[in-house]
Each structure stands twice: as C-alpha cells, then as structure tokens.
Amino acid sequence: GAVVSQHPSWVICKSGTSVKIECRSLDFQATTMFWYRQFPKQSLMLMATSNEGSKATYEQGVEKDKFLINHASLTLSTLTVTSAHPEDSSFYICSASLSRAYEQYFGPGTRLTVT
Amino acid sequence: AQSVTQPDIHITVSEGASLELRCNYSYGATPYLFWYVQSPGQGLQLLLKYFSGDTLVQGIKGFEAEFKRSQSSFNLRKPSVHWSDAAEYFCAVGAGAGGGADGLTFGKGTHLIIQP
C-alpha cells in the first residue's frame, strides 16, 4: 500500500524558534497533501490543503504566516511553524493523495513540544 | 457545515466479545464516510469506507460498518475483538473519496480498551 512518512517524529524547540516538519509520499506521487493538527484526546483538525506547485489553502482560523506550507514536489510537503509558542505544541499529521478524488494516506505524525 | 459525533469517548470490551462503535454525521449532501484506526506511533489506517451502493460495507481486520441514512449513522462493528484491536478509532466524513476540496472532518475518536 501507499506509504507516507513524516520527519521528525518528535521535536522539541524553544519558544520563538521555527521548526520544519517534512511529509513524504514514498511510493506514489501526491498531487494533494493535507495537514492536520491533533490535540491530546481530541480529533484531527484540518489546517490546510496543498497542491503541488500551488499555494496552500488554509482553513479558517489558521494563521498562514505562522504555519508555512510548501508543496514543492509531488513527493514532499513541508510545514514550518514559525516563531513557535507553547500553545503550538501539538501532534501534526499529514496525509497525501493522488488527487482529491482518491483516498488519503496518513503519515505517522510529528509530536511538537515548544518549551 | 459538516460534523461527526462519536458519542463514546471510551469503550471497554472483553476479548472475544462483539463490538459496536457509534458514529453520527451531519452533512448537506451525499456523504463519503470513513472509519480509521490510530495506534500509537503509527499513522491513521483506513478500516473501511462508504461511498454508495450496499449500505453494509466490509473492511479490513474483520470490521464492518452499516450506513443508515435515516439515522445519519455509520456504526462500526466487529463480531469478536482481539487484544490487538485496542486503539483509537475515528469516524470521518468528506465530500469525496479523497475528502474532496475540504479534506476530511473527523469525530473526536473512541478509545477502545480490550479486557483479557
């Protein structure tokens, strides 16, 4: 089956710094990638949708200047959390699909802790 | 706006017993419905999905789900659970197979505990 990886799986950063999370589709080309955020004991909330070569579409309430998404190739999307604060601590999950018409495959997630 | 409700936060079932996890959705059009399982350290894995046709869908690992339009429900069932089924289960709704333009809307999840 389709495999999606995320790196790193766990990251700790200091408040005010930026951190980049990578999402890769390992065995297929993903024209569409989604980024979700999951708080402890909570559901996954869609943050943004990105299409290869296009600007990401952000959900209402998600700061696009804080959560920078780049989908530069058909196998890689990155999420950069800029000027991170403790309230940004969360579990970030990406998913990838051939297109919006096809099933999403989820990465294992990245645990971000901001101190 | 679409929404998904999973009324049970935790469910405890004895190994070998049957299981039913509840899911209710709110969606303005024909929904695409999904059940995912999330285990620690692993990504969400699709158990099954419903788009159209037979309202009883079979999935992986012995799971099945029944779509009931009149009740806006898509409950997940398994006749006999195994200890390895202990995990977090999420119901989700979307506008298309890939979630459509708006991605997927997830319920809050049900944590399944298996008693020996």
Side-chain angles (χ1 to χ4, degrees):
Chain A
V3 179
V4 176
S5 70
Q6 283 185 242
H7 178 79
S9 56
W10 185 39
V11 58
I12 300 174
C13 71
K14 291 187 177 181
S15 186
T17 63
S18 296
V19 61
K20 180 184 288 187
I21 301 169
E22 292 184 347
C23 175
R24 293 182 185 273
S25 56
L26 298 184
D27 50 4
F28 68 101
Q29 294 185 324
T31 59
T32 304
M33 286 185 169
F34 300 88
W35 285 94
Y36 296 84
R37 183 173 180 176
Q38 185 181 26
F39 290 102
K41 308 299 183 185
Q42 296 288 325
S43 179
L44 284 77
M45 301 296 293
L46 181 65
M47 298 176 65
T49 303
S50 71
N51 289 300
E52 186 265 339
S54 302
K55 288 185 177 180
T57 302
Y58 291 81
E59 295 298 297
Q60 191 172 14
V62 177
E63 299 175 61
K64 59 182 65 177
D65 293 331
K66 181 171 190 58
F67 298 100
L68 301 179
I69 292 172
N70 186 300
H71 192 165
S73 77
L74 287 171
T75 59
L76 174 64
S77 176
T78 59
L79 167 67
T80 301
V81 182
T82 62
S83 187
H85 291 284
E87 56 265 31
D88 298 325
S89 298
S90 190
F91 196 53
Y92 293 89
I93 301 172
C94 75
S95 70
S97 67
L98 288 169
S99 74
R100 290 196 177 95
Y102 292 88
E103 178 181 335
Q104 293 183 38
Y105 297 95
F106 287 82
T110 297
R111 172 81 55 198
L112 170 63
T113 300
V114 184
T115 61
Chain B
Q2 58 203 49
S3 65
V4 177
T5 302
Q6 293 180 246
D8 303 306
I9 299 174
H10 299 278
I11 281 189
T12 301
V13 178
S14 298
E15 189 169 16
S18 63
L19 169 71
E20 181 169 35
L21 301 182
R22 295 183 290 166
C23 172
N24 292 96
Y25 68 90
S26 173
Y27 194 71
T30 302
Y32 287 72
L33 294 160
F34 308 79
W35 272 101
Y36 288 89
V37 60
Q38 184 182 38
S39 299
Q42 299 184 22
L44 286 166
Q45 182 180 24
L46 180 66
L47 288 175
L48 47 77
K49 57 195 176 189
Y50 172 78
F51 297 157
S52 64
D54 193 347
T55 57
L56 183 63
V57 293
Q58 302 297 319
I60 62 171
K61 303 184 178 185
F63 286 94
E64 66 177 26
E66 185 172 13
F67 171 64
K68 293 185 177 180
R69 184 184 298 275
S70 61
Q71 298 178 20
S72 297
S73 69
F74 188 56
N75 294 347
L76 181 72
R77 300 194 294 250
K78 187 170 184 178
S80 176
V81 297
H82 185 262
W83 64 267
S84 60
D85 293 325
E88 194 80 20
Y89 291 80
F90 290 94
C91 181
V93 65
D102 299 324
L104 292 172
T105 298
F106 287 84
K108 291 190 174 183
T110 297
H111 185 62
L112 176 63
I113 301 167
I114 306 296
Q115 280 184 335

